[in-house]
Amino acid sequence: MRASVPERVEQGGSDALRDPLRAKGRPLVVDVDEVMLPGSAFAADIASALSRSLHAFIAAVAAAFGSEARSARAVDASGFDSSRAQLDHDAVTFLLQALGEGRPVYLCSETYPEPLVSAVAQHLGVFTAWAAAPDGQSPAGQDEELPPALGQGFDYFGSAAVALPGFASRVARPARSEPATPATPARASMRSWLKLFRVHQYAKNGLVLVPLLTAHKFALGSAATSLFAVIAFSLCASGAYILNDILDVKADRAHPAKRNRPIASGAIAASQAVGAMAMALVTAFAIALSISLAFGGVLLGYLVLTTSYSLWLKRIATVDVVVLATLYTVRVIGGAVAISVPMSEWLLAFSLFIFMSLALVKRYIELASQPDGAVLAARGYQIEDKAMIAILAAASGFNAVVIFTLYISSDTVRALYSHPQLLWVGCPILMYWISRVMLFAQRGLIDDDPVIFALRDRVSWFALGAIGLIMLAAI
């Protein structure tokens, strides 16, 4: 399709509205602006400013990498982010109706550059072809012919300011429903604040206590320090979650489930969320620095990594799961640093592999919920990757078991346990639990995050408790 379709309709023409469903087979030309929702919000402005700063930094760093990084830069050059795109669902439904009637549908723009129009067209995947003015410049001086498919007449779904040729007609658009965002939201409930801070995710920070248990540091002072370290990690994680919600507010409002999040729904104003984020982070680092400077450095590294994940790394296939596994492991490292015990290489290796397995299971579950041929939005995975992800998840999980068996046979375990042979009983329990998680994911019995599933699953708690009792008996 030529890039001059919008300009070729400047000759004048019918402004009478046509019923689109009466014109079976007649081509429909749609302007990009009709499928994207306009508007801005305080949260979106923050997201835009942060994204520009981050992308400038990423562009400088990515220059040192190879073809994969160059490819990622080429995609970003379109200016279209599918993870945060806010689409007009009424317009998209209208286009699907037209396609159902057997009509070819073309996407066009005389203001947006070709990379962006192409990215929107590929993201929606419903257009017969697309057209755009090169580099966003109006090609008024060009003298190009319309494609043959449009030369016999077409309907135009777009700006009323665009004049149409005599063989073209305008179509009435469906009513545009804007997301409900109260200008002055009511006072937020305690439930909304707890939801904003993702308090239900705090259980994950119990990993900070693992070095306390594995090093057998049961003194009251060490236990109190570890608990304060858990609080610091929890508040830091809340600050990162709030930042992620601010950056993704547009995408969340268009998502069937995430639109109920406090910022996206308007239950908590973006300005209030920014204040809460600052308070959480300041408190987290005040606690961290009171423990030790080294622990504060670990917490800062965690914040930088989780923020990079939210803004960029989660969009790179396989890198995202490695980062997730690392974030879990950083919690364990933080627990060791907080109570000043050496980080066990065995524990470090076990953590990386077991959490890599769970991160891969999470991606498998997300892919399994997608229709055939779909691409997991903003993740870089395709539905065909599901089998490979399952294989990698199982391999990572059972590698963790192998590391545990090697640990039992090491000199390290003999220094900590009087009866290390009892630890072998934990191996079949661990193998059973990993196999059960994989089987439940295959059957669709785990909705989203396997870590959250484990925290709610009685069998998982029983398995964890059994391994804990075995380790106590082996001391």
Side-chain angles (χ1 to χ4, degrees):
M1 184 174 179
R2 309 288 298 251
S4 56
V5 171
E7 288 300 323
R8 294 296 301 174
V9 298
E10 288 186 350
Q11 304 167 8
S14 173
D15 285 333
L17 295 179
R18 176 193 293 273
D19 182 353
L21 298 183
R22 292 181 185 173
K24 313 280 184 172
R26 184 176 171 95
L28 177 65
V29 176
V30 184
D31 193 278
V32 169
D33 284 328
E34 297 303 315
V35 298
M36 304 292 291
L37 282 178
S40 61
F42 179 70
D45 294 338
I46 296 173
S48 177
L50 289 173
S51 294
R52 282 195 301 269
S53 300
L54 179 74
H55 286 241
F57 172 75
I58 290 172
V61 174
F65 292 86
S67 59
E68 183 177 351
R70 288 193 296 271
S71 175
R73 290 197 302 271
V75 174
D76 292 339
S78 69
F80 177 74
D81 185 346
S82 60
S83 68
R84 298 191 177 100
Q86 193 174 11
L87 302 175
D88 188 329
H89 291 289
D90 296 318
V92 174
T93 300
F94 166 71
L95 300 182
L96 292 174
Q97 284 181 306
L99 284 171
E101 294 291 327
R103 305 182 63 184
V105 179
Y106 299 87
L107 183 68
C108 69
S109 178
E110 63 178 357
T111 56
Y112 292 108
E114 292 184 23
L116 184 139
V117 178
S118 175
V120 174
Q122 293 177 29
H123 174 65
L124 290 174
V126 300
F127 297 101
T128 307
W130 60 270
D135 301 322
Q137 300 300 320
S138 178
Q142 295 180 353
D143 185 18
E144 300 183 14
E145 297 298 327
L146 282 170
L150 302 182
Q152 301 301 317
F154 63 89
D155 290 337
Y156 177 69
F157 179 34
S159 173
V162 175
L164 300 177
F167 52 79
S169 301
R170 266 178 234 287
V171 297
R173 60 159 290 114
R176 174 173 277 164
S177 55
E178 298 288 349
T181 306
T184 54
R187 180 169 181 166
S189 65
M190 179 58 66
R191 183 177 180 181
S192 296
W193 284 108
L194 293 176
K195 194 173 180 181
L196 179 70
F197 275 71
R198 311 265 185 99
V199 174
H200 64 284
Q201 300 277 8
Y202 283 3
K204 295 179 180 180
N205 298 310
L207 293 169
V208 176
L209 300 175
V210 171
L212 179 77
L213 303 176
T214 57
H216 303 167
K217 299 275 286 187
F218 301 125
L220 184 60
S222 297
T225 300
S226 292
L227 287 175
F228 276 110
V230 170
I231 295 172
F233 262 96
S234 298
L235 290 175
C236 184
S238 289
Y241 288 139
I242 295 171
L243 176 61
N244 181 72
D245 287 353
I246 291 173
L247 295 173
D248 285 346
V249 63
K250 285 188 176 181
D252 288 349
R253 285 174 181 163
H255 192 278
K258 294 179 180 180
R259 64 186 178 186
N260 295 320
R261 287 179 173 177
I263 300 177
S265 65
I268 295 178
S271 57
Q272 293 176 314
V274 171
M277 177 184 69
M279 180 187 69
L281 292 176
V282 169
T283 306
F285 281 97
I287 295 173
L289 292 174
S290 71
I291 294 174
S292 71
L293 184 61
F295 179 74
V298 173
L299 192 65
L300 178 61
Y302 170 83
L303 178 62
V304 170
L305 188 58
T306 192
T307 304
S308 300
Y309 173 82
S310 297
L311 294 174
W312 176 41
L313 297 176
K314 69 180 180 181
R315 298 178 178 84
I316 307 176
T318 68
V319 170
D320 61 331
V321 289
V322 173
V323 172
L324 282 177
T326 304
L327 287 171
Y328 283 115
T329 305
V330 168
R331 291 174 167 96
V332 179
I333 295 173
V337 172
I339 58 175
S340 301
V341 297
M343 180 63 194
S344 168
E345 294 179 356
W346 294 106
L347 180 58
L348 179 62
F350 179 84
S351 299
L352 281 171
F353 277 100
I354 194 67
F355 291 118
M356 179 70 172
S357 177
L358 295 178
L360 287 163
V361 169
K362 179 178 172 66
R363 289 294 174 262
Y364 176 88
I365 294 167
E366 292 172 346
L367 278 173
S369 66
Q370 302 297 312
D372 291 342
V375 176
L376 190 58
R379 299 294 188 199
Y381 295 97
Q382 299 179 357
I383 195 68
E384 293 82 6
D385 300 331
K386 188 169 64 172
M388 178 56 68
I389 289 175
I391 293 171
L392 293 174
S396 296
F398 280 87
N399 274 336
V401 178
V402 171
I403 290 170
F404 186 63
T405 62
L406 294 174
Y407 168 70
I408 296 172
S409 304
S410 69
D411 294 334
T412 303
V413 79
R414 294 187 183 94
L416 291 171
Y417 296 91
S418 301
H419 308 286
Q421 63 275 10
L422 290 178
L423 297 176
W424 283 101
V425 183
C427 290
I429 298 175
L430 190 57
M431 293 167 66
Y432 162 74
W433 183 79
I434 293 170
S435 300
R436 183 172 181 268
V437 169
M438 292 296 303
L439 189 62
F440 275 34
Q442 171 73 25
R443 293 177 178 177
L445 299 178
I446 303 178
D447 294 333
D448 184 19
D449 192 335
V451 175
I452 298 299
F453 164 79
L455 293 173
R456 298 172 179 170
D457 179 47
R458 291 182 180 178
V459 174
S460 298
W461 277 105
F462 178 80
L464 178 63
I467 292 175
L469 289 175
I470 291 167
M471 294 179 71
L472 287 174
I475 295 177

